[in-house]
Each structure stands twice: as C-alpha cells, then as structure tokens.
Amino acid sequence: MVQKYQSPVRVYKYSFELIMAAYERRFPTCHLIPMFVGSDILSDFNSEDGAVTVVERKCKLDVDAPRLIKKMAGVDYVYFIQKNSLNRRDRTLHIEAHNETFSNRIVVHEYCCYTVHPDNEEWTCFEQSASLDIKSFFGFESTVEKIAMKQYTSNIRKGKEIIEYYLNQMEQEGIAYLPRWSPSPVLQPVKSIPTSERPVSPAQNIPITKAPEGHNSKEGPRLATSPSETLSSTPDDKLDADYIKRYLGDLTPLQESCLIRLRQWLQETHKGKIPKDEHILRFLRARDFNIDKAREILCQSLTWRKQHQVDYLLSTWDPPQVLHDYYAGGWHHHDKDGRPLYMLRLGQMDTKGLVRALGEESLLRHVLSINEEGLRRCEENTKVFGRPISCWTCLVDLEGLNMRHLWRPGVKALLRIIEVVEANYPETLGRLLILRAPRVFPVLWTLVSPFIDENTRKKFLIYAGNDYQGPGGLVDYIDKEIIPDFLGGECMCEVPEGGLVPKALYRTPEELESEDVRLWTETIYQSASVFKGSPHEIMIQIVDASSVITWDFDVCKGDVVFNIYHSKRAPQVPKKDTIGAHGITSPVGNNVQLIDKVWQLGRDYSMVESPLTCKEGESVQGSHVTRWPGFYILQWKFHSMPACATTSLSRVDDVLASLQVSSHKCKVMYYTEIIGSEDFRGSMTSLESSHSGFSQLSAATTSSSQSHSSSMISREPLPLSEPALSSLSHSQDLKSTQDGLLRLSPSFWGQHFSTLYTLRPPIFLRWPPSWRLPFIREAGGPAAIETEGSDTS
C-alpha cells in the first residue's frame, strides 16, 4: 500500500529572502538533523540574469534502523537526490527529492514548495507532500514502512524549528533584512517585458517558460504536469497550520495529513459542499485516523443529515409542552476544561410516561436537537476560551432510578437513540459523569453498554452513593461554584425536576405510530433504485419557457449517469409494477421509467444537458434554465464499467467490479424544484456540513470561512433580478470595489445552492463549473462574472 503525506500550509512571518538565506545554511550538513550526514552538489545552474538557480545535490542519510535490517540490505547509508529550483524573480523555491538507494525496491518521492504569502508579501508559505511505495524488501516490508514513517514524521516536526533556529542565528549576526532580487542594470533590456507576457503561474518547473498565447484565467485551471505544480494552487482550499493548532488542536503530522486528504476528497466528490473541519476531524478520531473507514461513516452521516434535514433542527424543532414540563435535562455552564456541561436527572424522569405521551421519534428528535446545540456551544466556547473545544461533558444523576426505568419500550427507545447518536455524533462526548448509581444500574448498564463504542465507554466515570463529593469527585472536573444545588452545591440549577407524566397525556399506539411516521419521513428528498437497463426517470411539466429546474441529489450506492431530456409530448406514465429489473422486487414508485423504448432520440425527445457521470458518494447540485415549454425528463441511469481498450480480454479488476456492481442496485436520493426565473436565487438549502471550514492564509484569520458553492451548472444564459438583494443577511456580505465590481462574500454564497446572482436587470450571465467564487458587475458595466484570481478583480 502506498503511504502518502500532505502537509498543511505553514506560514513563516519572515520575508522570502530571509527564509532562503536560512534554508541555505542547512547545507552541506545540519547538526539539528543527526541522520543528515552530508551532501554533495552534482550540478549547479544559474541563469544569465541571476534570477534562476537550480542545484542538484546527493544527500547522505544515516537511517536509524535495526542492525539486522542494515546488514541484510548491505548498506550503512541511504542516498537521496534532491533538486532545488529557486526563482528569485517570482520568489519561489521548488524542491523535489527521490531515493537513489534501493530505488527498484522502494520508491520515495517528496515535493516541497516555498512561496510568498498571498495576503502579505513579507511572509512566506511552505507546503510539503510525499509518497512511499515499498514494493519488496527481503520480507521486511512492514518493518521498513514503520521505520520510514517514524523517521519522516520526526523530520517534519523539526523542519520549522530548523528554519527558525537559523533565522535566530542570522538575527544575532545582525541580519534582519535582505533586499529583493532586481535585474542588473547592465543586463536590463531596453524594452521592458509587459506584465501580460510574464509567466502566469510560478508553479512551473524552472527554468520558467512563457505562458501559452491566449492563456486566460477564465479558461479554467491548467492541468499540472508534475506533482510539485499542485502545491501552488489557490490557497482558499487549503488549511493553515496555525489555524489547525488554534481551532482543531495539536495534531501529529500524519493526523494533519489525514485531515487534509479526506477534506480534499470531499471537495472533489461533494462539489464544494463539505463538512466543517471539526466535523471531519471527529469522524477521523472515531476511526483512529483510518481514512477509508472515516470516509465511509462520514458519507453515511452526511446523507442521513440531509435526508432528515438535521441541519435545520434547531430552527424548526419546537419541543412539545410535555418535554418542557417533564424532561429533566438542560445546559449548565461549563466544566474546568471549558466544555459545555449538560445536566440530565435521569432518575427523576418518567421515561415510560414520556414514551407513552410523545413516542420514540419525538424523543429522538429532542436528543438530536440537544446534540446540535452542543456543537453550537462548542464553537462558541472555542472562541471564548481561545483554544479548541470540540466536545462537551454530560453529568447524569441517577438518584431515583428503579425498575420502572427498565420498561422494555423505554429501553428500546434508549437503544435507538444511542445507535443514532453513535453513528452521527462521534467524539462529541468528552466526559460522562454518572452520579449516585443505585443497585439497579448494573442491569441497565448490561443492556446498554454493548451499543456504546469502546472509545466512548472509556470516558465514563461512575460514582455510587455520595462518592462524588470526596477527592476525585466532581470538584476535579467542575468548579465548586457551579455545582448544582441538588448535588450539594450552592449554584441554583434551572434544569427541570421531571416528575410523573399524567396519564391523561398518554396517546394510543395508533396515534404514536402515525406521529412517528410523519416526523421521520417528513423530508423533501425521495429515494430511488437504478438497475442495469432500468433507469429511474421523473417528469417535470414546464408551462413558462423561462422557468428554472433545480436539483440536488446524492449517489448513495453505485455509479450513475445523470441526463436531462426535453419532449413536446407527455411520456406515458407506466403502471405501477412491483417487479424491477432482473426479477428483483422493488417498492412501488422506487423505480420509474418514462421514456418509451420506441422513442428515438432527436425525433421524439432531445438532450438538453451533457451527460454527467456521478460516482458513489458524490453529491451534485445544479440547475437548468428551460428554453421551451413542454415536458422535461430527469434521468438517472446505471453506469456500466467501460471495457478495456488495449485488449479484447477484460482485466481481473474490471470483471470483479462488474460482478460486484451488477448484482446490486444503484441508489440515489434526490430533490427537485421548479422556480420562475424572476424569483430564482438558489432555493436549494445546505446542510450543517455544507458550511465548510476553509481557512484563509492571512494574519487576520481567526476562523474558517464558508465553502465555495460549486456544482454541475447549466450552460444556458440566465436572466436574474433584484430579489437576490433580499437574501443578504448581513451588510458585509456585499462588498463593492472602486471599479464597480460587486462581491458576494463566501459566507453568503455558502448558505445557498445557487447558480447565479445579478443586481440590476436585465443581465445575462454564464458560470462555467471551473469558476469558483463569483464576482458580478452592476448594470452599465460588462455583463460578466470574474474569478477571484482574474486580472480584472
């Protein structure tokens, strides 16, 4: 298995020239890195004007490995080839390194990049990525991999310390400033080079060549020709190391790498609609930073949140009066670590009465709202205390717990709640204090503990009787001043005392079942199955030719192809059939085909959007402006594995993949909406997870900004108008520049799955998918959207 590493962006608050001077002091040896024995220069290139220097070195490393491994390998030292490409004009340094020793058995590649900070020219950014592929090593592959990763992690930690050590050394020598490179007057040509002819990106390998003729930032990002090029992309989608430490905590280099790689994967598959960084980190911690396992449960949770609109729970959920009166739980200050503190007087709560009066689903909704409120309070406390707080403390008072609480439907409801919370809120519980546990508690614990994750169980502290009042009790975790009165403290606690729910409030099983179904199935999303040879299709009738069809769907299982067709005549709606493709029984309405097999494309119906292939786990949002009235058909079709182009025989992987997929149906969850173009401003709403944690590389960065909206967008011109202004929730969302350019802030853009905005009708705009943050001009100026990195911005 190939091991990969990707660093966050590390910022040095020193100029690029000072950093380069400090970096050069690392050679030929560095006493701060004992394993770095020495280095020899193999080649040295300097351009005529002195702007470009390319140095290739052979570095000698004394790897700390067991003597047996060294003896079997027959070498005492490991040699690496390092190529440093310095461009003083563009102020960039690209470093590429690969192993020369055992290159046929082990493949190591490393890419580093020093660039000028995008927001402060006197600061320098550093990024690093590496890959390790051990093909074979005398049967010691696993051991060598562990040694290599340990050594590499150690060197990563020292990297910044070494640069800062030499910077301090230079400061002691009186070197606090170095001038920027400037061309020699003798070598300066008479005719200066126009700005437009200079290299567009410093990310190219040096010596630098001119940008191609006609290159324009609007044409979309250029494909990287080497891994080192990817390091110089726009920093909006990258994490700053200082931001990680301030808001996420102290992570090891490999943990940082896991966070960044999973975040990048979500950006690619979820079209910019990704979770907050804290949210991703919780799922990684829950799976011990195994990216594949964390990705699986995270995607399942995001789909669950979206389907049941959990992101809007705090604003939409209005607890019934029964919960206000008899649910004995509430928030109460914070513990000594700054974590929000939740009090639950379970022993005083009539669980049977609450289940009989409300039903299982209402209780689950209420518990989910408590978890959502806990996440919100964690974010607030992170800002208040100036350190990362990602979880809360729960105090459970069991005084009064008896056999009544072991009523079977009540235990069933509790187990259901635990299952849902464990799957969707991992690593949100920092500590659980269980006080005054009675004799019946072991029975309840035996029933419940198998459903609780092992890592979560380790956070439980259980006190019997009054043990919590002595040393090692509450005072170790909660300030004495906020211990509630019902636990012997002096603080008045507003948590309700609970009590028996009057039987007059009980509801019949039929009423509860109807209420539960309504609560948990009340969603704007629908699910559908897609079989091979049996696509799922929905029909939308358009009367007004200038309408807008919007969609939002997730591919829950398998790969599908999404198409949009138009027909002047209505397709024949088939009769409901419970038998799907391959003779598989499917629920009524779970798979619908509308396009008749005798219809011919181009005669009976036409394609209005290019087909879009969507992989499993992807989330897609977009819109289409209708040009004609009639019937539009949205289709999700099974995506077959392409045949191998180089041989008539299928590859083993292709055969296995096709067998695996063909025996299972694909599944999509979708929502569509038809809006008049004059009202369209992106009505598709996002998840809590859709408010991304993009960090900005600037001195003023104290929190992550919102996600850029990106999706499969219609390529038709779209007329839009004034109503976009009404959705601006804050005045800072709209910013204007001197040249009349209007900017919608990322926080505003991330709150809507919108396509385009305009402020003065009539303006027709286009937004290709490759453009990210939109900029819009007022009427009278050019009708265009500019990217953040374009010349006009």
Side-chain angles (χ1 to χ4, degrees):
M1 179 179 177
V2 179
Q3 292 286 349
K4 294 182 179 180
Y5 170 77
Q6 175 63 59
S7 77
V9 179
R10 306 194 185 277
V11 179
Y12 297 95
K13 297 183 179 180
Y14 295 90
S15 68
F16 178 80
E17 288 71 26
L18 281 174
I19 295 295
M20 291 300 98
Y23 176 77
E24 284 300 323
R25 296 196 176 202
R26 296 179 55 175
F27 301 101
T29 59
C30 180
H31 69 280
L32 298 175
I33 310 180
M35 66 178 295
F36 187 54
V37 179
S39 62
D40 298 319
I41 296 179
L42 300 180
S43 64
D44 191 352
F45 165 81
N46 286 280
S47 63
E48 293 183 2
D49 59 0
V52 175
T53 299
V54 181
V55 179
E56 194 169 14
R57 293 184 177 92
K58 186 174 184 179
C59 302
K60 183 178 179 182
L61 305 181
D62 184 8
V63 179
D64 184 15
R67 187 176 179 181
L68 177 61
I69 297 290
K70 287 188 174 182
K71 189 173 182 180
M72 291 187 63
V75 297
D76 292 325
Y77 302 102
V78 175
Y79 292 93
F80 273 76
I81 304 299
Q82 184 193 75
K83 180 182 179 182
N84 291 354
S85 302
L86 173 64
N87 189 317
R88 297 181 181 85
R89 179 191 297 109
D90 294 329
R91 304 177 79 195
T92 62
L93 172 65
H94 295 281
I95 306 168
E96 301 181 22
H98 64 274
N99 62 309
E100 185 181 58
T101 309
F102 300 118
S103 58
N104 60 331
R105 295 180 177 272
I106 302 174
V107 180
V108 179
H109 285 291
E110 182 183 50
Y111 304 92
C112 304
C113 180
Y114 287 91
T115 57
V116 177
H117 193 288
D119 296 329
N120 190 326
E121 292 187 352
E122 296 305 317
W123 290 1
T124 306
C125 296
F126 172 74
E127 289 181 76
Q128 182 177 6
S129 66
S131 64
L132 168 69
D133 184 10
I134 302 179
K135 301 182 181 298
S136 64
F137 202 84
F138 314 108
F140 289 89
E141 290 81 10
S142 178
T143 303
V144 171
E145 181 178 292
K146 290 179 181 178
I147 292 172
M149 296 304 293
K150 181 180 178 181
Q151 295 275 336
Y152 194 71
T153 303
S154 176
N155 290 338
I156 290 171
R157 285 188 174 276
K158 291 181 180 179
K160 189 171 183 178
E161 299 174 5
I162 293 171
I163 293 294
E164 290 177 345
Y165 169 82
Y166 287 120
L167 286 169
N168 292 333
Q169 189 181 82
M170 291 166 57
E171 188 175 350
Q172 293 172 3
E173 297 173 3
I175 305 174
Y177 170 79
L178 289 175
R180 297 185 186 180
W181 176 88
S182 60
S184 171
V186 179
L187 299 177
Q188 179 72 23
V190 177
K191 182 180 179 182
S192 61
I193 301 176
T195 304
S196 60
E197 295 182 14
R198 292 178 185 172
V200 174
S201 171
Q204 302 177 15
N205 288 331
I206 342 183
I208 287 183
T209 58
K210 265 190 189 179
E213 290 294 331
H215 178 76
N216 191 306
S217 61
K218 295 182 183 180
E219 295 176 5
R222 182 172 48 84
L223 294 176
T225 56
S226 72
S228 61
E229 284 197 62
T230 60
L231 295 176
S232 293
S233 59
T234 307
D236 297 350
D237 58 350
K238 297 180 180 178
L239 287 178
D240 182 358
D242 294 335
Y243 158 79
I244 291 177
K245 186 175 182 180
R246 167 64 178 83
Y247 289 94
L248 304 180
D250 288 321
L251 304 179
T252 67
L254 294 183
Q255 288 173 346
E256 290 177 341
S257 176
C258 290
L259 172 62
I260 293 169
R261 288 166 55 200
L262 180 54
R263 194 171 175 274
Q264 289 175 342
W265 181 86
L266 287 169
Q267 282 179 275
E268 295 170 359
T269 58
H270 281 240
K271 311 300 181 187
K273 190 188 57 175
I274 69 172
K276 294 179 179 179
D277 300 320
E278 301 93 323
H279 201 72
I280 301 174
L281 191 56
R282 289 188 187 102
F283 282 86
L284 281 169
R285 283 174 172 153
R287 291 298 180 266
D288 297 323
F289 286 88
N290 183 307
I291 291 183
D292 293 332
K293 293 181 179 179
R295 177 194 299 146
E296 180 180 358
I297 62 173
L298 176 57
C299 288
Q300 291 173 357
S301 178
L302 294 183
T303 301
W304 171 83
R305 293 184 69 90
K306 182 191 239 181
Q307 184 173 10
H308 301 296
Q309 304 179 67
V310 179
D311 302 296
Y312 309 106
L313 204 55
L314 291 180
S315 59
T316 59
W317 170 244
D318 185 17
Q321 190 62 38
V322 178
L323 284 173
H324 286 292
D325 296 339
Y326 299 101
Y327 189 86
W331 295 99
H332 180 75
H333 299 283
H334 55 80
D335 66 6
K336 287 188 174 182
D337 295 323
R339 297 166 175 161
L341 178 61
Y342 190 82
M343 299 279 185
L344 181 64
R345 304 182 68 177
L346 185 60
Q348 303 297 318
M349 198 158 59
D350 181 10
T351 54
K352 179 179 180 179
L354 289 173
V355 173
R356 292 289 301 274
L358 296 172
E360 181 180 319
E361 298 302 337
S362 290
L363 281 176
L364 175 57
R365 282 290 177 101
H366 188 61
V367 173
L368 293 181
S369 70
I370 293 171
N371 281 270
E372 290 295 305
E373 175 66 17
L375 292 175
R376 189 189 66 79
R377 288 174 178 260
C378 285
E379 292 182 8
E380 289 183 352
N381 286 15
T382 296
K383 298 175 183 177
V384 171
F385 292 99
R387 62 178 183 273
I389 296 174
S390 60
C391 52
W392 59 83
T393 295
C394 184
L395 187 151
V396 181
D397 179 19
L398 296 183
E399 185 185 39
L401 188 76
N402 53 44
M403 293 302 295
R404 178 184 175 87
H405 292 85
L406 300 183
W407 179 58
R408 184 171 181 177
V411 174
K412 175 177 173 289
L414 177 61
L415 295 180
R416 169 79 190 286
I417 290 171
I418 291 175
E419 180 185 14
V420 174
V421 171
E422 281 285 319
N424 298 285
Y425 298 93
E427 296 298 317
T428 53
L429 182 65
R431 186 180 293 114
L432 180 66
L433 303 171
I434 300 177
L435 310 184
R436 300 194 279 196
R439 292 183 178 180
V440 74
F441 174 72
V443 180
L444 179 63
W445 179 250
T446 302
L447 294 172
V448 170
S449 59
F451 295 87
I452 301 175
D453 184 74
E454 183 180 354
N455 292 332
T456 304
R457 290 202 299 267
K458 294 176 182 178
K459 302 172 183 177
F460 285 36
L461 296 174
I462 303 173
Y463 299 90
N466 294 324
D467 293 347
Y468 70 91
Q469 294 179 346
L474 277 186
V475 291
D476 285 7
Y477 307 103
I478 302 174
D479 290 329
K480 186 177 179 180
E481 296 78 19
I482 65 170
I483 294 179
D485 50 354
F486 63 84
L487 293 176
E490 299 177 357
C491 183
M492 294 298 295
C493 184
E494 298 180 358
V495 174
E497 295 183 1
L500 294 176
V501 178
K503 292 186 178 180
L505 299 177
Y506 286 10
R507 303 171 69 181
T508 64
E510 290 77 15
E511 290 176 329
L512 291 177
E513 183 178 358
S514 175
E515 177 71 10
D516 287 350
V517 170
R518 185 189 68 80
L519 276 175
W520 209 242
T521 60
E522 195 178 60
T523 172
I524 60 176
Y525 292 92
Q526 301 181 52
S527 296
S529 298
V530 180
F531 300 94
K532 191 172 184 178
S534 179
H536 177 72
E537 297 164 343
I538 61 174
M539 179 181 67
I540 299 174
Q541 184 175 3
I542 297 296
V543 178
D544 184 0
S546 60
S547 299
V548 181
I549 302 174
T550 62
W551 58 82
D552 177 11
F553 67 87
D554 288 66
V555 185
C556 304
K557 187 175 184 180
D559 300 343
V560 299
V561 178
F562 179 63
N563 286 295
I564 305 177
Y565 300 102
H566 172 263
S567 175
K568 294 181 179 179
R569 58 172 173 158
Q572 187 69 31
V573 180
K575 295 180 180 180
K576 293 182 179 179
D577 186 4
T578 57
I579 304 298
H582 312 292
I584 300 175
T585 302
S586 61
V588 175
N590 202 31
N591 180 272
V592 178
Q593 298 180 62
L594 299 173
I595 300 178
D596 197 298
K597 292 184 178 180
V598 299
W599 280 21
Q600 293 185 10
L601 183 64
R603 186 190 69 182
D604 301 292
Y605 65 107
S606 60
M607 182 182 293
V608 296
E609 287 279 359
S610 301
L612 178 70
T613 302
C614 307
K615 302 293 183 181
E616 180 175 328
E618 285 192 332
S619 179
V620 180
Q621 304 80 42
S623 62
H624 175 79
V625 184
T626 61
R627 300 179 63 183
W628 314 281
F631 301 91
Y632 286 81
I633 300 170
L634 274 58
Q635 179 194 77
W636 291 269
K637 185 171 62 176
F638 186 93
H639 178 58
S640 302
M641 185 68 66
C644 184
T646 58
T647 175
S648 59
L649 297 176
S650 300
R651 295 181 303 170
V652 175
D653 292 343
D654 294 341
V655 174
L656 293 177
S658 63
L659 288 174
Q660 182 180 4
V661 174
S662 62
S663 61
H664 296 82
K665 61 186 178 183
C666 297
K667 186 177 180 181
V668 295
M669 184 181 73
Y670 65 90
Y671 165 71
T672 61
E673 186 177 359
I674 301 94
I675 311 169
S677 61
E678 68 278 0
D679 298 323
F680 180 67
R681 62 169 185 250
S683 65
M684 311 286 278
T685 48
S686 57
L687 3 141
E688 176 266 344
S689 50
S690 76
H691 292 186
S692 166
F694 288 105
S695 66
Q696 300 297 323
L697 299 178
S698 65
T701 296
T702 54
S703 65
S704 53
S705 64
Q706 303 297 333
S707 168
H708 299 314
S709 178
S710 176
S711 60
M712 187 190 76
I713 304 299
S714 168
R715 288 161 178 78
E716 296 294 331
L718 177 61
L720 295 171
S721 56
E722 189 74 17
L725 280 174
S726 62
S727 62
L728 291 173
S729 56
H730 304 287
S731 58
Q732 62 268 26
D733 285 333
L734 186 62
K735 297 181 180 179
S736 178
T737 58
Q738 295 179 354
D739 62 351
L741 195 65
L742 293 175
R743 170 177 178 171
L744 297 177
S745 72
S747 60
F748 169 71
W749 201 260
Q751 292 170 7
H752 306 274
F753 288 155
S754 56
T755 314
L756 296 170
Y757 290 79
T758 183
L759 306 177
R760 296 289 185 272
I763 297 180
F764 291 80
L765 304 174
R766 295 176 184 268
W767 182 17
S770 60
W771 297 4
R772 292 195 176 183
L773 184 62
F775 290 77
I776 303 165
R777 293 186 182 276
E778 291 182 289
I785 297 179
E786 308 292 348
T787 61
E788 191 166 14
S790 64
D791 295 334
T792 57
S793 64

